[in-house]
Amino acid sequence: MTKHLTLRTRTTAAGAVMELAGDLDHHTAPEVRDALPGLSLRPGGQLVLDLAGITFCDSSGITVLIAARNHAMAADAAMALAAVPERVARIFRIVGLDQVFPTYPTAQDAEGAWHIASG
Amino acid sequence: MMCATGDPADSKGPAGDQGPADEDARFSELLEDSAEDLYERAPCGYLSTLLDGRIAKVNATLLDWLGYERGDLVGRRHFSDLLTVGGRLYHETHFAPLLRMQGEISGIALELKAADGSRLPVMVTSTVKTGSDGQPLLIRTTLFDARDRRAYERELLRARKEADLERDRLKLLNTTLQKTLLPPVPANVPGLDVAAHYHIASVDEVGGDFYDLFPLAAGTWGLFLGDVCGKGAAAAAVTSLARYTLRAAAVYNPDPAAVLNNLNTVLNHEYNGNDPRFCTVVFGLLTPDPQRGGFRITLASGGHPPALLMRADGTADYLPTPGGQLIGVLPDAHIATTTVHLAPGDTLLLHTDGLTEAHTTSAGGEDRYGDDALLDFGRGLAPTTASGTIGAVRDLLDSFGTGVDDDTAVLAIHVPRTTCEERQ
C-alpha cells in the first residue's frame, strides 16, 4: 500500500532545500530523518522543506518535520515549509502546526523571504 | 563378493606410463565385469517383484539396509510386507493403483521396516516391465536412502514450529501490553452511560492510542483519549508515560488546560532532538449540573481531532478547539478549550484519527473516510446512546476491513434520559 518516498536536497544561498515526494509515513520517515545530519546549515541560514509532491503524511511524517525543525534550531537556522498540499495543511491545522512552521507557496518564495529578512 | 569397481581405477594412478590402448582395454574390462556387481552393490536398493508384489529378486544393498538374508525375502515376502503400517496403506490405496494405471511411479516417500524393527525412510521409484506382447511381466523398483533428507525435513519443520511459537508469543505480549494501556472496564459514573472500543490494526506492533475515565474530587470526573505518534515498544513507553502523567496531573489540578500543559512539560523533558515523540490528546472534566440536569464538560485539546456531539434533538456537530497544538515537542504548546452542556439524551464521541484516516476502498485506493463522513455518520445516528454509538462505530470499522491501517480508539459518553423525560 505504501508508495516510495523520493528525497532530493540542494544547497542554496540561504542554506538547504529538501524536496520530498510520495508518502511521508511510518515506513518512509526514517529516510528523511537520516538525511538531516548531512544538510549544510549555518547560523542565520534557513532549511526549506518542499512538500509539493507529498501525497500522504501521518503522525510519523509530522514527527520527522519536527525533527527537521529541531535540527535547524540546533544549528541556529530557521525552518520553513513550501508548497504544502491541502490535505497535509488540514492535518497541520488539526495538530496546530500551522502556527509553528512559516509556510510559503514555493521554495523560491521561501528563499526570497529569507533574503529580505536577512537584508 | 569382491568389489571389482575400485581396484583398476586405484592402480591407474601410480602407473602413469601406460599407453592409451592399454587404458581402453582396462576400461572395457571394467564395464563388462561390473554389470552384476553394479546391481548387487549399487548405491541404491533394487527390488523386482511379481505383479502380485511377491519379491523375485533383491540386491545386496537393500538386504544390508534391512538386515535380511536373501532367502528371508525372495519368494516368501511381498514388497508391502517391508513397509510400515501407514506405508502399506498408502501402497494399497495410491502406489499400486497408480503404478498399474501409468506403468510407472516415481519419487514416492515411504518407510521400510528393517529386520530389527528400525525404520528406514526411502524414496521409491517403480516401473512395470512388459513382455514383447505388451503384457506386464514384473515390477522393478529402486529405493534411495532418504535418511538425510528426512532429517533435513524434520529440522525445517522444527524450525518453522519454533518460529510460529515465537510469533504467537510476540502477539500475546503485544496484546497484553496493549491492554495495560487501557482501563479494563470503563468506570461506572452515576448518571452517565459510558462505552469504549479499541481496534487493534496489527497484532505485530503495539499501537499508541489510549483512553481513560476516572473519578476526581467532589463528584467530578476526568476523561481523556489520545494518540501517540508511531508504533511499537517506543510508542508504548510514551503512551504509558502520558497515561499516568495525565491521571496524576488531574489530581493535582483538574483544570483541563493545566493538565495538558503538565503533560507537555513532561514529554518535552523526556523526548527531544532527532527522535521527538508527541501525542495528541483530548482531556475532559465532567461536572454534574444539578440545575439543568446532565453534565457540564470542559474539553481541552492538544492538537486532537474534535469531539462529536450527537444531541437528543437528532442534530450533531463537532466541538472544535481551534489553535490547540500537539503535546510534547513545542516548549509552550497552546491548549484550546471549549465548554458545553451535556443534556439528557446527548452523546459525546471522542475518537482517534485511525477512524477518519481509514481507507474506504480496500484496493489501496486514495479515498480516506474523512471528517465530513464521520459528521454525517453522527447525524444519522443521533439521538443515540453510548453503547449504540460504539456498536455503530465497530460495524463501520468492520466495513472498512483491512482499510483500517492504524489503531483506533473510541470513547462515548451519554446522559440517559430519566423516565419522566421519556414520557414527555
Side-chain angles (χ1 to χ4, degrees):
Chain A
M1 203 120 84
T2 301
K3 275 175 282 179
H4 268 310
L5 179 85
T6 55
L7 185 159
R8 277 204 331 225
T9 56
R10 57 192 163 87
T11 308
T12 62
V17 175
M18 190 186 264
E19 292 171 11
L20 301 175
D23 282 5
L24 187 54
D25 60 15
H26 187 50
H27 303 282
T28 59
E31 231 178 291
V32 180
R33 189 194 316 269
D34 293 346
L36 292 175
L39 298 172
S40 57
L41 290 176
R42 57 187 163 76
Q46 178 175 258
L47 166 64
V48 177
L49 262 61
D50 188 337
L51 306 184
I54 289 293
T55 45
F56 178 68
C57 177
D58 72 356
S59 66
S60 303
I62 289 170
T63 308
V64 85
L65 295 181
I66 293 165
R69 179 172 176 268
N70 290 350
H71 184 73
M73 281 165 66
D76 281 323
M79 184 182 134
L81 298 177
V84 182
E86 175 46 35
R87 84 181 310 152
V88 178
R90 192 184 61 83
I91 299 169
F92 283 6
R93 280 196 296 276
I94 293 174
V95 300
L97 277 181
D98 52 337
Q99 312 147 60
V100 172
F101 296 114
T103 303
Y104 301 93
T106 67
Q108 214 172 359
D109 292 333
E111 183 95 345
W114 177 82
H115 279 291
I116 291 166
S118 57
Chain B
M1 190 178 292
M2 276 292 296
C3 191
T5 47
D7 298 340
D10 287 347
S11 62
K12 188 186 148 210
D17 55 350
Q18 282 163 341
D22 207 14
E23 204 172 290
D24 281 354
R26 279 173 174 279
F27 198 65
S28 57
E29 190 180 294
L30 179 77
L31 288 174
E32 278 170 30
D33 184 57
S34 60
E36 179 64 18
D37 188 65
L38 177 63
Y39 176 80
E40 288 296 343
R41 293 285 167 190
C44 64
Y46 281 122
L47 190 70
S48 299
T49 60
L50 303 181
L51 294 174
D52 67 358
R54 198 140 33 104
I55 296 170
K57 202 176 172 191
V58 56
N59 76 343
T61 305
L62 188 57
L63 289 171
D64 281 354
W65 284 353
L66 296 176
Y68 283 117
E69 294 296 323
R70 201 174 299 270
D72 297 336
L73 301 184
V74 173
R76 289 168 173 251
R77 308 287 284 272
H78 289 72
F79 173 53
S80 61
D81 296 336
L82 302 179
L83 301 173
T84 56
V85 176
R88 217 174 293 162
L89 211 65
Y90 186 83
H91 181 266
E92 195 71 28
T93 55
H94 291 80
F95 192 98
L98 270 175
L99 181 60
R100 268 199 299 277
M101 236 158 48
Q102 303 174 347
E104 60 176 20
I105 186 165
S106 65
I108 304 297
L110 290 171
E111 268 190 335
L112 299 184
K113 222 166 42 185
D116 64 2
S118 65
R119 286 165 180 230
L120 176 75
V122 287
M123 298 293 286
V124 180
T125 294
S126 290
T127 56
V128 176
K129 178 186 159 58
T130 52
S132 51
D133 57 353
Q135 283 299 306
L137 292 177
L138 53 88
I139 299 164
R140 286 172 172 161
T141 300
T142 56
L143 305 100
F144 285 90
D145 184 349
R147 272 176 295 203
D148 285 352
R149 187 191 160 117
R150 189 61 59 87
Y152 174 66
E153 285 170 352
R154 257 201 303 272
E155 184 56 27
L156 268 185
L157 207 64
R158 193 195 56 75
R160 161 113 189 238
K161 269 187 193 149
E162 208 153 272
D164 284 350
L165 212 64
E166 212 49 51
R167 201 179 130 83
D168 286 349
R169 234 178 268 153
L170 181 68
K171 279 182 186 173
L172 186 67
L173 179 68
N174 278 336
T175 314
T176 311
L177 185 56
Q178 194 82 70
K179 279 183 189 151
T180 67
L181 301 175
L182 300 172
V185 278
N188 184 19
V189 184
L192 201 65
D193 164 26
V194 181
H197 175 62
Y198 193 100
H199 175 88
I200 298 176
S202 158
V203 288
D204 296 323
E205 274 189 307
V206 187
D209 292 4
F210 58 93
Y211 60 80
D212 205 353
L213 173 66
F214 52 98
L216 286 167
T220 64
W221 294 78
L223 66 93
F224 57 77
L225 178 138
D227 182 358
V228 169
C229 69
K231 283 173 186 290
V238 183
T239 307
S240 188
L241 178 63
R243 235 179 91 75
Y244 294 110
T245 303
L246 285 168
R247 285 197 66 146
V251 171
Y252 174 71
N253 178 359
D255 172 61
V259 172
L260 293 191
N261 272 318
N262 264 315
L263 178 63
N264 188 53
T265 305
V266 169
L267 290 185
N268 260 291
H269 283 180
E270 203 68 27
Y271 303 94
N272 44 38
N274 262 355
D275 187 22
R277 294 275 165 183
F278 69 84
C279 61
T280 66
V281 197
V282 167
F283 185 95
L285 178 64
L286 272 166
T287 317
D289 191 336
Q291 264 116 53
R292 300 170 67 187
F295 288 82
R296 201 165 62 102
I297 184 166
T298 299
L299 291 168
S301 172
H304 197 80
L308 179 61
L309 176 60
M310 292 165 282
R311 297 186 193 85
D313 65 6
T315 61
D317 283 294
Y318 282 122
L319 302 178
T321 42
Q325 290 181 311
L326 40 75
I327 306 288
V329 284
L330 306 168
D332 47 0
H334 180 249
I335 310 297
T337 61
T338 183
T339 301
V340 290
H341 177 249
L342 292 181
D346 288 352
T347 304
L348 186 72
L349 173 69
L350 304 179
H351 72 280
T352 58
D353 65 1
L355 176 58
T356 45
E357 293 296 324
H359 294 269
T360 48
T361 48
S362 52
E366 284 305 304
D367 280 345
R368 290 174 191 265
Y369 185 62
D371 303 329
D372 294 340
L374 183 62
L375 182 57
D376 287 344
F377 171 83
R379 286 182 171 149
L381 223 51
T384 180
T385 61
S387 51
T389 304
I390 297 305
V393 170
R394 292 179 74 149
D395 290 345
L396 181 65
L397 288 169
D398 284 346
S399 74
F400 297 149
T402 55
V404 190
D405 48 18
D406 199 2
D407 282 21
T408 303
V410 279
L411 172 67
I413 56 172
H414 166 74
V415 183
R417 292 171 210 253
T418 57
T419 342
C420 68
E421 276 164 345
E422 270 164 17
R423 245 181 260 130
Q424 279 168 7

